[in-house]
Amino acid sequence: MTTTQQHYSPFDCLVVAEQTPAGLLQKESQEVEVLLVLEIELRASDEPLVPLNEKHHVDVAKSNLPWKDRTPQLMMQLTTHRTVFWSETASKQRQGRYLHHSQLLQLNTESAGGLFQKSPKLILQTAAMGELCLVFGAAKKRDECFSAYQKVVSRRGWETPTLNTIQTAPRRRVGLDALLTSDTRRHEHAAQLAETAFQGDAELLLKEAQGLVQIIQHYVATLERQHEFSNAQDKETQQLVGMLQHMGMTSALTPNDTQLARELTDFVRPHLTAQHPVMTLTDVYCLYNRARATHLLSPDDFRAAAEQCHSLQLGISVATLPSGLVVLQNDQYADPVHLQERLTQLLHDHALASLTALDVSRYWRISAVLAMEQLKLVERSGSWVRDETLESLRFYPNRYFCA
């Protein structure tokens, strides 16, 4: 919904989902994403439903608007616990509302008039909202979603007990207890890996990833050549695409850059603070892939996702410095005035009269190349001046500028 709301629809009657700072779904414990459908239409019966606000109460203002029984152009995210629908405004602000799978009573596809014709609709019988209809653009996507729904409902992951519900545990864990313990340790290891990724050797990781990048480029070229001759995919091509998706090689698979941009923002923005608002894009790429472990991204996919962050107004953006160095920066602290204040504070903290690129690199723990670019930036603004000698290149605050 990209215009001012003049009515309310089934989307407004779902429960509002909590979001991360980047606009992603705040998942529940042990909740995993199963399927993502980029465009879908949500329909309900002709009888008006009750709209809900962010506090899960009746939205009186919307209930006075006319009722429309369908909501087009939604993105659907199917998880083990919920079906989440996403709506995006013209200002790129997202709102998510969900239907919990505990509310599902029955699931089936809608039969069409013809004998062999398949209607791209999925019917959900729910306890609270009655019958809901999901309309897809193609029958193939509908069938894929129906299959995923059947697996999710049969496994009933939202009812899986956690370790907190187990009162006693033997010294040697077996059966379900052992599986839950292993799963919890795996999640803790992934969280620890994401936390320690910024402490690793990015250059070493990039060197080790060169062989994998070459494989990615080879398979991408193969799939693109096949796509030029025919849009249809044979069985072998589908298997190849599946392998690439499992390994995280998504360059030839038309990835959802918007979703990936929000995941990247959630990962890197807490580290782009007022004290360290800039990182080179190469370092972020290595650290992000290190945190993803086996689900690696190709450089093209990562660059495309990073460049989406500014248009989505996520608070970070890609910038190319005059030397050609590409960085990822926190927009809140990217102005030269803030950089000038940080450099001045650095002088006072360490009782220095001037700074070199090595000084800034050592105290701020950034690369010497990035440190030099930061110093040149304040020099171009006129707030700092340089003193170039045979010994070194030093930068001083411009006292005439400050006066």
Side-chain angles (χ1 to χ4, degrees), residues 2 19 26 32 43 93 111 114-115 138 194 199 208 252-253 291 303 306 335 342 348 354 390:
T2 58
Q19 301 181 39
Q26 188 68 52
V32 179
R43 296 181 184 177
Q93 298 296 321
S111 58
L115 181 60
Q199 304 174 3
E208 293 176 351
L253 309 177
R303 179 67 180 268
D335 58 295
R342 292 173 58 220
H348 294 163
S354 62
L390 294 176

Side-chain angles (χ1 to χ4, degrees), residues 107-122:
L107 177 71
N108 50 50
T109 58
E110 184 181 84
S111 58
L115 181 60
F116 299 102
Q117 181 182 0
K118 287 187 177 181
S119 177
K121 297 183 181 67
L122 198 59

Side-chain angles (χ1 to χ4, degrees), residues 39-40 120 135-139 141:
E39 186 171 349
I40 198 174
V135 183
F136 298 83
K141 180 59 68 174

Side-chain angles (χ1 to χ4, degrees), residues 52 141 169 207 210 214 243 263 268 296 309 317 323 389:
L52 301 177
K141 180 59 68 174
K207 184 183 298 183
Q210 289 178 351
Q214 293 176 358
M243 292 171 57
E263 293 178 0
V268 75
L296 303 182
C309 294
S317 60
S323 65
T389 65

Side-chain angles (χ1 to χ4, degrees), residues 117-171:
Q117 181 182 0
K118 287 187 177 181
S119 177
K121 297 183 181 67
L122 198 59
I123 308 299
L124 308 179
Q125 296 290 345
T126 68
M129 301 182 65
E131 181 178 289
L132 295 178
C133 179
L134 308 181
V135 183
F136 298 83
K140 181 179 179 181
K141 180 59 68 174
R142 188 274 313 271
D143 295 339
E144 180 183 358
C145 185
F146 181 62
S147 176
Y149 256 118
Q150 288 180 316
K151 293 180 181 179
V152 166
V153 173
S154 63
R155 293 172 181 172
R156 306 185 72 83
W158 62 92
E159 296 180 350
T160 301
T162 61
L163 288 177
N164 294 331
T165 63
I166 301 176
Q167 300 297 330
T168 60
R171 180 171 299 178

Side-chain angles (χ1 to χ4, degrees), residues 383-394:
S383 58
W384 284 60
V385 294
R386 70 165 62 193
D387 181 20
E388 189 170 356
T389 65
L390 294 176
E391 177 188 3
S392 62
L393 176 60
R394 293 189 168 273

Side-chain angles (χ1 to χ4, degrees), residues 55-75:
K55 297 182 179 180
H56 304 172
H57 297 156
V58 177
D59 195 327
V60 179
K62 287 184 179 179
S63 62
N64 294 325
L65 296 174
W67 163 255
K68 187 176 181 180
D69 65 347
R70 62 195 61 193
T71 311
Q73 297 180 348
L74 296 176
M75 184 176 72

